[in-house]
Amino acid sequence: MAHTVVRLPAEQIAPLARLYDEAVAARRRHSLIAAGVVAVCIALSCWWGEVKPSVFAANAFRLGDYFWNILPTLRLDQLGTDLAEWYWNLDGWLKLLADTILIAYLGTVFGVIGALALCFLASANLTRNTTIRFAARRLLEFCRTVPEIVFALLFVVAFGLGPMPGVMALAIHTMGALGKLFAEVVENIDMKPVEGATAAGASWVQAVRLAVMPQVLSNFASYGLLRFEINVREAAIMGFVGAGGIGQDLVEAIRKFYYSDVSAILLLIIATVTIIDLVTERIRHRLISMEAGR
Amino acid sequence: MNRARLAFDPAEQARLKALYPQHFRATDAGRITGWVLLGGMALLVAYALWHLGFSLARIGTGLAQLFHFLTLMMPPDPGKQLPLYMHALGETLAIAFLGTFAGAVLALPFGLLAAKNVVRNPLIHTLVRRVLDVFRGVDKLIWALIYVTVVGLGPFAGILAIATSSIGELGKLFSEAVEASDHKPVEGITASGGGPLEGVRFGLFPQVLPVLASQILYYFESNSRQSTIVGIVGAGGLGLHLAEQIRILEWQKVSFLILMMLIMVAVIDFISSRLRFAIIGRRSVRV
């Protein structure tokens, strides 16, 4: 089938074409303004952040050099001994890794307990009293906004070196982060069971326990597991400020240029994090399918 | 408020028990598993507490110390250091902005290479994905520490650290956006004689750019939080002063610096969420 292209007379096309051109020009203007703002911000940041492109270009090869240096020397004909040399301190590192996971676990457990205690107070549908709700929300917000490592710095000074301040820092931050998520879950529940429980004479605590908990438990567990993954990553850096875990050996290796140790510990951390991610992901999928199957 | 309670006479109770035996059983399988799980977790907690050397005495003295510090923190006061801290705040913002920007720019090619429907070769896109995983899986503070040893102390190391992590995060998101995009516009452009690059530029970018822009803004928010702490390992910004003041126990300055961080984060959150809504409307960003 042959198509014929209809061509409108010039006087009809002109206004349409003009409208089109105007629309395109407006979009171009917007993009140009946005690009200009970004460019100004970049220039300001470069000046403020002491970035000198020329210096960077001259030293860029050092980046590659460093990553080349931390790679171990592995020769095929003596692979066993080279590997053994690369992981000379495997026992010590594995102990520290176990510590790291325990720190993350304890921090997550205590954080979840704190979040459980506060999330019902911070959710609009269970707590009618605005003062309590406001206080709970602000407290959670503060705990969530201050980074873990800052809490860790403070606690190391107060409690002394070791895993304890690390656990506490993780617990407080976890409480803030999970409390918000938990409260959102609670605000999305079906209120009918709560009304039923209250109608049958349940107190506030009983209503939460028997009407709210069954609805939110699997979601809470899933969020808790997600947070555990994040906390393992965080626990790995707690050692930077002296709060236990594998971080203390990593910081030493980087600062003292023990090149092969850096890559060995980094690989261990990446492997641990990956394994924990995979395991928790499988558990989470089962939890979610349980939720869907109900 | 006094609550009415339902009370059944014994005969009625027996009738209900006969009707619904499952609700009167003391235990069932699910409940037992629940208790076993809880018991196991509690045991592990006890072991961890013992293994990591928790002691009530230390907790007591530590809490007393902490309370003492809190009283010393009031009121927040920068002393004579205010100009210095303002400069550090600017540095922190610069680290967050440049880090996010550089990360986003470099994430574009990585994201394209990691997308299944752009690069057909499974070897290449899985390899690129693993690289992105490494960038993302190593914490920003570790990157900062590494870059401090490579390029020296100062904000530049922080910028590189934030950028490296952002490549991993944004590259992954970008490749997912590309994979979720509609392929028909690209086919149309190929059909009307466009090359592969034109297909990406006119068929793909208009679809993924709004999504990507909102994600970049979202990461700018989280990077502004992170850029306050890279200073702890010497990579410039507010964290540098914070770590220093905590070490020399200048508590009023510490509380002032924490206050600065909180205000900065709140302001950035406000601005960037407004911008995000302007770009993609009131849809929530998937975290």
Side-chain angles (χ1 to χ4, degrees), chain B residues 170-230:
Chain B
L170 287 167
K172 177 171 182 270
L173 290 170
F174 184 43
S175 73
E176 279 168 3
V178 169
E179 279 175 8
S181 69
D182 191 3
H183 202 63
K184 289 195 176 63
V186 183
E187 280 172 17
I189 282 159
T190 320
S192 53
L197 272 181
E198 276 133 345
V200 168
R201 161 68 186 86
F202 294 102
L204 199 63
F205 272 10
Q207 289 186 66
V208 297
L209 222 51
V211 179
L212 190 66
S214 73
Q215 297 282 17
I216 290 174
L217 276 170
Y218 183 80
Y219 273 97
F220 177 60
E221 281 173 46
S222 89
N223 283 344
S224 68
R225 284 182 174 79
Q226 294 282 336
S227 62
T228 54
I229 41 176
V230 288

Side-chain angles (χ1 to χ4, degrees), chain B residues 95-119:
Chain B
I95 291 170
F97 182 80
L98 272 186
T100 314
F101 182 79
V105 169
L106 290 167
L108 284 177
F110 273 104
L112 281 178
L113 287 176
K116 276 190 191 117
N117 53 358
V118 177
V119 178

Side-chain angles (χ1 to χ4, degrees), chain A residues 41-42 45 48-51 56 63 66 99 105 149 154-155 157 159 161 164 198 201-202 237 251 254-255, chain B residues 3 5 41 51 54 58 62 66 87 90-91 97 101 139 145-147 149-150 155-156 159 229 232-233 251:
Chain A
C41 285
I42 291 173
S45 307
W48 211 286
E50 299 162 25
V51 178
F56 177 59
L63 275 183
Y66 186 86
D99 277 6
Y105 174 73
I149 200 93
L154 287 173
F155 293 164
V157 178
F159 294 90
L161 296 171
M164 207 165 83
T198 316
I237 56 168
V251 81
I254 296 177
R255 287 251 159 93
Chain B
R3 294 165 182 278
R5 285 196 171 279
M41 281 175 75
H51 181 83
F54 273 66
R58 263 185 76 193
L66 205 58
H87 184 88
E91 259 182 18
F97 182 80
F101 182 79
D139 199 273
L145 196 61
I146 288 175
Y147 285 125
T149 58
V150 178
F156 188 46
I159 292 170
I229 41 176
I232 289 173
V233 294
W251 295 112

Side-chain angles (χ1 to χ4, degrees), chain A residues 138-223:
Chain A
R138 289 296 84 78
L139 176 65
L140 290 173
E141 201 167 42
F142 174 78
C143 294
R144 173 170 81 236
T145 317
V146 178
E148 289 100 329
I149 200 93
V150 174
F151 281 128
L153 268 171
L154 287 173
F155 293 164
V156 163
V157 178
F159 294 90
L161 296 171
M164 207 165 83
V167 170
M168 289 180 171
L170 281 181
I172 286 193
H173 192 90
T174 302
M175 182 178 90
L178 283 182
K180 172 178 181 254
L181 291 172
F182 284 6
E184 279 172 6
V185 173
V186 171
E187 280 177 352
N188 287 328
I189 60 166
D190 179 8
M191 284 303 280
K192 288 194 179 66
V194 181
E195 283 163 21
T198 316
S203 66
W204 189 86
V205 176
Q206 283 168 328
V208 166
R209 158 76 190 82
L210 295 164
V212 182
M213 280 308 265
Q215 292 189 64
V216 295
L217 205 55
S218 61
N219 259 330
F220 280 13
S222 158
Y223 278 136

